[in-house]
Amino acid sequence: MRAKRLTGSLACLVVLTLTAAGCGLSGGGSGDGDASAGGCKVDQGNVGTGKLSGEVKGKITFQTTNLKKDFGTFFNSVIADFEKAHPGTEVKWIDDPGDNTFTTRTVADAQACTLADVINVNAPTATALTKAGYLLDVGTKDPDAAKPFVPAFWKTAVFKDAGGKAIHTALPWYTGGVILTYNKDLLKKAGVDPAKPPTTLFGLFADFEKVAKAGDGKFYATMANPIWRIPSDFDQMGIKTLSDDGKSAVFADDPRTTQWVAWMAKLYKAGAMPKDSLSSSNDPSTLYSQGKVAYGSTNPSFVRFVKQNSPSIYDRTAVGQQPYDALGRASAGAPQYISVAATSKNAPTALSFAEFLTNAENQTAWCKDPAVVIFPTTTESLNDPFFQKVTGTDPFSQARKLVADQLKTASTNQTSLSPAVQNAMVAQVQLAMQGKKSPAQAVKDAQEKANELLKQAG
């Protein structure tokens, strides 16, 4: 299904908002001196501490990741609205597949000085591009850039430059949110009250253990592969995974890490998880929809999947807040961001379009698209009735409101690990779960291997 076009009145409001935003970037030259970003020569105005100035006009490129097929109508309308508000501008939209080589490929584009002017990035890509100096410091180049966003999102949407300084090189765009999803009938069989979700991860693990005893191999609590939990569980528990500079692993220094691994090993041995799921890439979706797993995926879109594909299981489904644990608040998962290339030849236009794309009107409009279950990062959007209305006891509408309310105070500081480091940590935990290493030894070895990889990466 296609995204809804902006209504006429809303479109007018968007135009007015855009015009006002555009004024903030206009009225002067953007600087004549030569400067450099990464290895590329750029306009002096794109770097340094001064506010960006310059006329909003000319051509820019806008790169998304695998969105054109399903959301062409929506994004083409956003582009058309922007171009209408700023005669003389032209936005060329390109769509990257967003596969596993995205970060490597994008960094290569940046090094070749061909990075798109406005680009959709995830945290690992933003981290790499910021460190190399290829992204515009939007927090400096537009001091008002933070205004539309939930303070928690803006505060944590920072990445470190080559000198280790945290700077705002990205605008928060959207996220998926995290909740608990569970089969009420299976929990009741295990003696777990579905109306009282656990408040800590170890409390959740204790419920998993009860499910294991009641299921006795006929049904399970969840899936075994720890790749679904590292590093998100550590983040939620307040366990520090990496040092402040990101150059070394420190999770073994916290005794709760070993306790966590011991719990995972205990649950696996007790039959809380299917034995063949230890290294499987499958999440709980399929088995949950068959009534064989008590806890489903933590992504709210999963609730809609169950509603559409397994009505009988949906009738037994309830949702709950994710365990807040030591953080005392929810995690926002892994948000997507919009960045502006410091190498852009039309940086005022690129920044204006990036802010237009991520403003409250456009974020709300996209999140209402029936083809997606995503959540906005602007305060105004999260307060929209679309996210606040609950239809009776319908789990999907409950999940949407639950996540929207959680995101108002959520932390977006999800630890960014390279696939190699994450896999090295996961492999050691798998050995402990199989009884081939003690939890303490597995944690020690995981940290040593992570540090070897981090050292190699520099």
Side-chain angles (χ1 to χ4, degrees):
M1 300 181 71
R2 297 299 183 186
K4 294 179 180 178
R5 289 275 288 126
L6 296 174
T7 64
S9 59
L10 182 55
C12 291
L13 178 61
V14 165
V15 169
L16 290 172
T17 304
L18 176 60
T19 302
C23 290
L25 298 172
S26 303
S30 56
D32 298 324
D34 287 337
S36 62
C40 309
K41 283 194 172 184
V42 301
D43 192 283
Q44 185 70 45
N46 292 11
V47 297
T49 57
K51 180 180 178 181
L52 185 66
S53 63
E55 193 172 2
V56 179
K57 69 174 186 179
K59 297 180 180 179
I60 60 170
T61 51
F62 164 45
Q63 180 176 305
T64 54
T65 50
N66 197 26
L67 295 178
K68 185 168 280 189
K69 178 182 177 183
D70 295 324
F71 304 104
T73 301
F74 174 76
F75 286 105
N76 280 324
S77 75
V78 171
I79 290 169
D81 287 340
F82 179 81
E83 292 175 339
K84 181 179 179 181
H86 287 285
T89 60
E90 182 178 337
V91 180
K92 180 182 179 182
W93 179 21
I94 54 179
D95 196 40
D96 186 275
D99 54 22
N100 290 336
T101 62
F102 172 71
T103 298
T104 303
R105 189 170 56 253
T106 303
V107 170
D109 288 345
Q111 292 171 330
C113 309
T114 58
L115 192 64
D117 298 283
V118 179
I119 182 169
N120 171 203
V121 292
N122 53 21
T125 308
T127 298
L129 293 175
T130 301
K131 185 176 180 180
Y134 288 110
L135 296 182
L136 201 73
D137 180 356
V138 293
T140 297
K141 294 304 171 184
D142 181 5
D144 294 329
K147 287 184 177 179
F149 301 105
V150 173
F153 272 107
W154 177 256
K155 183 179 179 181
T156 56
V158 295
F159 302 91
K160 293 182 179 178
D161 65 14
K165 180 184 177 183
I167 55 177
H168 284 281
T169 52
L171 301 174
W173 196 17
Y174 68 91
T175 188
V178 181
I179 54 170
L180 284 180
T181 302
Y182 40 84
N183 183 315
K184 293 180 291 185
D185 288 359
L186 296 184
L187 262 58
K188 288 176 182 175
K189 288 181 179 179
V192 176
D193 186 352
K196 296 180 179 178
T199 58
T200 66
L201 276 166
F202 287 168
L204 178 63
F205 286 177
D207 287 350
F208 285 177
E209 189 175 32
K210 294 177 183 176
V211 173
K213 291 178 180 176
D216 194 26
K218 297 182 179 63
F219 60 88
Y220 306 91
T222 187
M223 307 297 273
N225 195 335
I227 200 167
W228 298 108
R229 296 188 165 278
I230 295 175
S232 58
D233 276 11
F234 297 172
D235 288 343
Q236 197 61 42
M237 294 173 69
I239 296 173
K240 197 169 183 177
T241 303
L242 300 178
S243 58
D244 288 339
D245 61 9
K247 294 182 178 179
S248 61
V250 296
F251 54 84
D253 302 344
D254 192 321
R256 292 175 298 166
T257 307
T258 300
Q259 294 172 22
W260 183 91
V261 176
W263 256 116
M264 291 291 286
K266 182 181 179 182
L267 291 169
Y268 185 68
K269 183 178 180 180
M273 308 139 169
K275 295 296 182 187
D276 60 359
S277 68
L278 185 61
S279 58
S280 168
S281 60
N282 296 329
D283 69 7
S285 304
T286 301
L287 290 184
Y288 183 90
S289 299
Q290 296 171 356
K292 296 180 179 178
V293 171
Y295 290 86
S297 168
T298 57
N299 191 322
S301 66
F302 171 72
V303 185
R304 188 181 67 173
F305 172 83
V306 177
K307 183 176 185 177
Q308 294 173 338
N309 297 283
S310 304
S312 63
I313 298 298
Y314 187 71
D315 290 341
R316 305 172 207 172
T317 294
V319 298
Q321 176 184 292
Q322 72 168 132
Y324 277 3
D325 228 296
L327 281 183
R329 57 187 184 275
S331 167
Q336 291 286 311
Y337 302 94
I338 291 294
S339 291
V340 175
T343 53
S344 173
K345 297 186 184 306
N346 282 313
T349 304
L351 180 55
S352 181
F353 179 72
E355 293 178 337
F356 180 66
L357 177 70
T358 57
N359 70 20
E361 292 86 350
N362 283 323
Q363 286 211 31
T364 304
W366 190 28
C367 291
K368 288 183 179 180
D369 188 325
V372 294
V373 183
I374 56 175
F375 294 86
T377 57
T378 61
T379 303
E380 181 180 331
S381 301
L382 288 172
N383 288 327
D384 190 277
F386 176 77
F387 295 104
Q388 295 299 318
K389 183 181 178 182
V390 175
T391 305
T393 58
D394 176 58
F396 180 52
S397 62
Q398 288 179 334
R400 194 156 51 198
K401 176 174 172 47
L402 190 61
V403 172
D405 289 344
Q406 287 180 170
L407 290 179
K408 293 176 184 177
T409 58
S411 167
T412 57
N413 264 341
Q414 180 165 307
T415 303
S416 179
L417 296 176
S418 71
V421 171
Q422 185 186 31
N423 289 337
M425 295 167 62
V426 165
Q428 294 303 311
V429 176
Q430 288 170 330
L431 290 173
M433 293 173 70
Q434 292 172 302
K436 297 179 179 178
K437 281 188 177 182
S438 71
Q441 189 63 49
V443 171
K444 180 176 181 293
D445 292 347
Q447 181 152 300
E448 289 181 358
K449 291 186 179 297
N451 278 328
E452 289 174 9
L453 292 166
L454 289 166
K455 187 175 181 180
Q456 290 171 12

